[in-house]
Amino acid sequence: MRDALELLLKHRVIPVVEIADSADAAGLAAALADGGLPVVEVTLRTSAAVDAIARIRAAVPEMAIGAGTVLDAAAAEAAAGAGADFLVAPGYSPAVGRRAAELGIPLIPGAATASEVENTRADGFRTLKFFPAVPAGGIPLLTALTAPYRDVRFMPTGGIRQETLADWLAVPAVAACGGTWIAPAELIERGDWDAIRTRATDAVRAAAPQTTHE
């Protein structure tokens, strides 16, 4: 089973975006990359999402592209065919897990309870999406979950903000955080690439290891 852990550890924050018009995809990708985040998770919540993934792949070939909200095997196939590098799901479907393995593409399934962690872990997954991060119980719940499952790393997503990013990344079991605040739909629809570029840069700074000087 290929794993996305190395990619998450490299970037530490993954912009999670919803694209209504695939014509916006190239501009969005360029703004994120220019801001220091050559990675994106495009949620499959719109009819434009798969085409947007293909356009990002063509416009910014070095971009690490994830497909989010992968709910079934067909969605996994479409995302992989469009050029996605990894898949993300809010929960876990064994059918999606099997298809991702057949396609040779990493899947980050979602889990928010001990039973869900055990089910995904039993199928070989060691990198999971903790979703919805804040509504499910936030850092206290995630910290409690990590105690018995010390070989599992998490990508919390849902309710995390610029101001709380460093707190989440300080949890040892957190590999990276999903960030919806970096490129919200309203900024994408307006084509406000400068604002998105700035938010990406700010996220990179917040995610950087903190050092102290005496």
Side-chain angles (χ1 to χ4, degrees), residues 155-205:
M155 182 179 72
T157 305
I160 299 171
R161 308 186 310 276
Q162 173 77 21
E163 296 78 13
T164 61
L165 176 61
D167 295 332
W168 282 94
L169 291 175
V171 177
V174 170
C177 289
T180 58
W181 80 90
I182 299 169
E186 59 269 21
L187 292 184
I188 296 174
E189 290 169 4
R190 292 206 306 264
D192 195 341
W193 309 135
D194 288 339
I196 291 173
R197 186 182 303 109
T198 297
R199 291 186 180 208
T201 299
D202 290 343
V204 171
R205 289 173 179 162

Side-chain angles (χ1 to χ4, degrees), residues 89-116:
Y92 177 56
S93 161
V96 173
R98 287 192 298 270
R99 191 67 187 113
E102 292 167 355
L103 293 167
I105 187 169
L107 169 67
I108 305 174
T113 69
S115 293
E116 291 170 352

Side-chain angles (χ1 to χ4, degrees), residues 49-114:
V50 172
D51 186 45
I53 290 171
R55 291 191 182 214
I56 292 172
R57 173 58 64 219
V60 189
E62 69 275 17
M63 198 87 173
I65 308 171
T69 320
V70 177
L71 304 181
D72 52 44
E77 293 170 5
D85 298 297
F86 63 100
L87 310 176
V88 185
Y92 177 56
S93 161
V96 173
R98 287 192 298 270
R99 191 67 187 113
E102 292 167 355
L103 293 167
I105 187 169
L107 169 67
I108 305 174
T113 69

Side-chain angles (χ1 to χ4, degrees), residues 138-150:
I139 291 175
L141 176 57
L142 179 59
T143 301
L145 278 176
T146 64
Y149 307 110
R150 299 189 178 185

